[in-house]
Amino acid sequence: MTPTDLPPVRGKLLLNELLGPYTWFRVGGAADALFIPADAEDLADFLKALDPALPVTVLGVGSNVIVRDGGVEGVVIRLAGRAWGQVTADGPTITAGAGALDAMVAKASAKAGIAGLEFYAGIPGTIGGALTMNAGCYGAETKDVLVSAWGLTRRGERVDYSLADFGYTYRHSVVPENEIIWVEATFRGTPDAPEAVQARIDEITSRREQTQPIREKTGGSTFKNPPGHSSWKLVDEAGWRGKLHAVTGGGAKFSELHSNFMINPGEATAADIEGLGEAVRADVLAKTGVQLDWEIKRIGRQG
């Protein structure tokens, strides 16, 4: 891929850009091209002119993803910067850009005296990712507060979605990943005293700091909770808490603090981390008959 293959942009367009620094695990190969659009109009113009045969992958803050060592084919689009992170309140509603950090949405809701969005303080990602996977924690999910969202198709055309259009279930939407690039979402909560909302956010933040390895190179929750089970308990009972993977030898392991969080404490590769996850899935299945499904996204080519 060369600059002549790609449309002109106002944002940043980087070729053969290593993606590891853009992810929480700090691993992974290069994107053939990485595009950080200046705004929605820049993104729409780019998509309209882009060869439809080129694959497009959307990357947020990289908090819930493993970029494989072989890199990512085509164009990776990262929604970062002020234009993508705006959060505004109007009555009981919050409107947020797809690049806004979930925690910033929670903070804005407290300032505006809007209850119901406190759970976003416990999710280390962006609103675009939350829309894609019905992100949630501590008993609340995106589907509980979402009103509508809009985004751009692969051809750069605007599409508007209501909550019902997402067909949300647990950590899943019926909208195929990367088919729509989300631009903005509107949420509705209920009026409450700002100090009461903030107190609940503080409680969530404190709980997260005490129970999750948030200062490590991690990817958040590794596996979805199977029906009737907690993933962390299954991983723990299978003996994987804090255990290095003997096969990969790359230092990847499940955290001592939370056994559904993989961490890269040293120089693990993406293959080390994904290999550990697959080894644990196989072990848990063999010991319990329960299938663990990945919550972390794995993208790109094998190294």
Side-chain angles (χ1 to χ4, degrees):
M1 187 177 294
T2 66
T4 56
D5 297 328
L6 299 170
V9 301
R10 289 184 287 108
K12 293 182 180 179
L13 187 56
L14 309 168
L15 300 184
N16 299 313
E17 179 76 1
L18 283 174
L19 294 174
Y22 297 93
T23 74
W24 281 34
F25 274 124
R26 296 293 188 266
V27 298
D32 290 351
L34 174 65
F35 176 38
I36 305 174
D39 49 35
E41 183 180 4
D42 190 28
L43 176 57
D45 291 342
F46 178 82
L47 292 170
K48 288 173 183 175
L50 187 66
D51 181 349
L54 279 176
V56 168
T57 303
V58 183
L59 180 69
V61 290
S63 60
N64 191 238
V65 66
I66 298 170
V67 175
R68 294 184 172 119
D69 299 311
V72 181
E73 182 183 3
V75 179
V76 173
I77 295 173
R78 185 169 189 262
L79 307 181
R82 182 174 297 181
W84 296 99
Q86 296 294 317
V87 183
T88 58
D90 182 11
T93 66
I94 291 276
T95 299
L101 293 173
D102 298 330
M104 295 305 296
V105 172
K107 182 178 180 180
S109 73
K111 186 176 180 180
I114 301 172
L117 285 78
E118 295 93 335
F119 71 96
Y120 276 131
I123 302 175
T126 61
I127 289 301
L131 293 173
T132 298
M133 65 178 293
N134 186 25
C137 64
Y138 303 134
E141 297 177 303
T142 296
K143 70 176 180 61
D144 300 328
V145 291
L146 181 67
V147 176
S148 61
W150 71 273
L152 297 168
T153 68
R154 177 65 176 75
R155 296 186 178 187
E157 300 162 341
R158 174 172 172 150
V159 286
D160 291 84
Y161 277 66
S162 67
L163 170 61
D165 294 329
F166 283 87
Y168 279 140
T169 53
Y170 174 64
R171 302 296 177 268
H172 177 73
S173 163
V174 297
V175 183
E177 266 190 82
N178 301 310
E179 180 177 286
I180 306 297
I181 302 172
W182 300 114
V183 174
E184 191 175 75
T186 299
F187 305 91
R188 180 177 291 117
T190 55
D192 199 355
E195 57 271 21
V197 179
Q198 186 61 54
R200 291 190 290 271
I201 288 174
D202 291 343
E203 183 180 348
I204 289 171
T205 302
S206 176
R207 180 177 173 183
R208 182 168 170 252
E209 288 178 346
Q210 293 172 23
T211 61
Q212 298 177 10
I214 60 175
R215 291 175 178 81
E216 302 273 8
K217 291 184 284 188
T218 185
S221 295
T222 303
F223 305 119
K224 301 175 184 178
N225 288 322
H229 297 275
S230 294
S231 290
W232 76 266
K233 287 184 180 180
L234 292 168
V235 175
D236 200 25
E237 291 168 1
W240 287 93
R241 182 189 291 265
K243 180 181 176 182
L244 289 170
H245 187 204
V247 175
T248 67
K253 64 179 183 178
F254 276 82
S255 169
E256 291 92 342
L257 191 60
H258 193 308
S259 52
N260 194 30
F261 279 60
M262 283 194 294
I263 61 174
N264 173 14
E267 299 302 323
T269 64
D272 293 333
I273 297 169
E274 187 173 8
L276 170 62
E278 289 297 338
V280 172
R281 291 181 72 229
D283 193 40
V284 168
L285 181 61
K287 290 176 177 176
T288 68
V290 178
Q291 177 73 64
L292 290 174
D293 291 328
W294 285 93
E295 184 167 321
I296 290 177
K297 307 298 181 186
R298 288 98 55 230
I299 63 173
R301 301 167 287 220
Q302 301 287 354

